[in-house]
Amino acid sequence: KIDSPIRSNEASVSASISFPKFLGLPYSIFTGPNIPRTEVSGSFNYQDRTEYKRNIASLTYGYSGTFLKRYRFLLNIPRVSYVHLYTLDPEFKQMLERNPFMRYAYQDHLDAGVGGTLHYTTNNDVVPKTSYHFWQVNVDLSGNVISMFDRFMPRSEQGQALILSTPYTQYVRGEFSVGQTLRFGKSDAHALSYRFLIGAGYPYGNSQAMPFEKQFYCGGANSMRGWQARALGPGSQALDTSFSIPSQTGEAKLEFDVEYRMPIFWKIEGALFAECGNVWNIRNSEPEASVRTFYKTLAADWGLGVRLNLDFILVRIDVGFQTYDPVAAAWYGPGKWFTGKSCVHFGVGYPF
């Protein structure tokens, strides 16, 4: 519960192997120095929270590389993960039983499909010093191949097809972001940066809801910094006090960020930023999230930041202040910022 002592432990182990070639295709197909790599990785994650204990085992096989100097890609074919929840808190279990949407999001499941990322940028430096722009597309498809054998599988009480007594997920998920940084002033020391991000996921077939780990969230060091990670949304929905740690997620996301960066002294930089966005549920949307009143569910914040730029790495501290909260449908002035309507975040690298 939100007002109870927070207990959260997590441990993970992972291993990967990378081959400097595109396994399955000859070198002669590729020209130049940018030969794609083949990546095989596996991981195991253990989570112990007040509401539940959970294991996540994952295995991926894919290819990564660059082409035309400015494009990077990652293609996982396949990617497989198995999620198992156990030792559920009795009150949390009752809450899941009362809310079918949440129950399907938190159930045991097998997630097997393909995924890919395509990234374009005009500056590949770790800490860019010149003007540049970028865009990125992420796509995930899950369960479509397995669904071809759906008719031969046993069924759960809810009618879901099972593999080894576990339902498989079936959904499509996409995300697109675009941004630009404009350098100006003496020695290009000042910068104005912006980012626009939109994403959506849709469950179908054997799934009634997106898996929790595949849903979108707002808040944190790189998104809506006036809120703690996963503490905003969906829509104008109030914070769910069933969780000891905020776990607000949604099936769609929209966000716009703008940030002014300026030098202070030595390698210390300052920042002034403003953000607007939220997450929403598509299949379980609230009336206030309709198109006509959509703008009322957009949250807004602003903030200040201090960064240490060592050229090869950048570390930062940002303080975000909430200016509009869709839950309370209220605008907040300075009198509220220091009484619970602000957050402090530590990050590595620019937020976008």
Side-chain angles (χ1 to χ4, degrees):
K1 321 305 178 292
I2 291 293
D3 57 354
S4 66
I6 296 177
R7 175 179 60 82
S8 178
N9 300 299
E10 184 171 344
S12 62
V13 59
S14 62
S16 63
I17 183 171
S18 178
F19 302 91
K21 64 176 298 185
F22 195 111
L23 293 183
L25 295 177
Y27 277 113
S28 59
I29 293 181
F30 306 99
T31 59
N34 298 318
I35 297 176
R37 304 182 68 88
T38 302
E39 311 277 349
V40 181
S41 62
S43 65
F44 180 82
N45 181 268
Y46 167 78
Q47 300 174 359
D48 182 0
R49 291 181 42 164
T50 302
E51 302 87 11
Y52 58 78
K53 293 181 180 180
R54 181 168 71 166
N55 292 332
I56 304 176
S58 301
L59 178 66
T60 61
Y61 175 93
Y63 304 99
S64 64
T66 62
F67 62 97
L68 300 179
K69 296 182 179 180
R70 295 179 175 181
Y71 294 85
R72 297 199 307 269
F73 73 90
L74 173 65
L75 180 62
N76 289 321
I77 48 172
R79 51 159 190 78
V80 181
S81 63
Y82 172 72
V83 179
H84 174 56
L85 282 85
Y86 57 99
T87 316
L88 295 180
D89 175 78
E91 292 186 24
F92 179 69
K93 185 176 181 180
Q94 290 180 6
M95 184 272 291
L96 293 181
E97 292 175 349
R98 293 193 301 268
N99 188 332
F101 179 80
M102 293 290 290
R103 182 176 69 243
Y104 284 114
Y106 279 90
Q107 70 178 175
D108 292 356
H109 60 270
L110 176 70
D111 188 345
V114 298
T117 298
L118 180 61
H119 180 85
Y120 170 84
T121 181
T122 57
N123 190 325
N124 284 305
D125 294 340
V126 176
V127 183
K129 297 180 180 179
T130 61
S131 296
Y132 71 97
H133 59 274
F134 74 90
W135 56 260
Q136 179 170 300
V137 177
N138 300 309
V139 176
D140 271 310
L141 297 171
S142 180
N144 294 318
V145 174
I146 296 177
S147 67
M148 297 171 62
F149 307 95
D150 190 282
R151 68 182 65 181
F152 305 109
M153 300 177 187
R155 301 278 172 169
S156 68
E157 294 181 358
Q158 292 77 30
Q160 290 180 287
L162 305 175
I163 298 179
L164 300 177
S165 302
T166 302
Y168 69 88
T169 59
Q170 196 170 4
Y171 62 85
V172 58
R173 182 185 189 275
E175 184 177 5
F176 174 75
S177 59
V178 61
Q180 185 175 26
T181 294
L182 300 173
R183 288 279 181 178
F184 60 94
K186 185 178 180 180
S187 301
D188 282 344
H190 296 255
L192 181 65
S193 300
Y194 73 85
R195 175 185 64 176
F196 174 76
L197 184 152
I198 186 170
Y202 189 77
Y204 58 93
N206 208 50
S207 293
Q208 297 297 316
M210 293 282 291
F212 173 75
E213 62 275 8
K214 289 294 184 177
Q215 295 188 18
F216 297 92
Y217 69 91
C218 277
N222 300 316
S223 168
M224 299 301 296
R225 283 164 279 180
W227 279 264
Q228 182 181 350
R230 294 183 173 84
L232 175 61
S236 58
Q237 182 175 311
L239 187 66
D240 190 341
T241 58
S242 301
F243 297 91
S244 58
I245 299 174
S247 299
Q248 309 289 100
T249 58
E251 295 173 329
K253 179 177 181 177
L254 182 68
E255 184 174 340
F256 179 75
D257 314 90
V258 61
E259 182 172 276
Y260 168 56
R261 301 162 185 167
M262 77 292 288
I264 298 179
F265 69 91
W266 188 51
K267 295 184 179 294
I268 304 298
E269 299 178 357
L272 175 66
F273 60 85
E275 301 163 319
C276 178
N278 207 336
V279 295
W280 296 267
N281 286 324
I282 298 175
R283 300 185 65 176
N284 193 40
S285 60
E286 306 85 357
E288 62 268 28
S290 65
V291 175
R292 288 179 299 175
T293 56
F294 167 76
Y295 69 95
K296 295 182 179 180
T297 63
L298 286 170
D301 64 37
W302 79 279
L304 302 167
V306 177
R307 288 84 191 274
L308 174 62
N309 187 347
L310 299 177
D311 295 332
F312 64 93
I313 191 174
L314 182 141
V315 294
R316 59 186 167 90
I317 296 178
D318 292 329
V319 182
F321 305 99
Q322 298 177 19
T323 53
Y324 179 75
D325 182 4
V327 176
W331 291 90
Y332 297 132
K336 292 285 188 178
W337 293 341
F338 300 99
T339 58
K341 300 302 179 182
S342 63
C343 275
V344 178
H345 302 284
F346 173 81
V348 177
Y350 289 122
F352 52 87

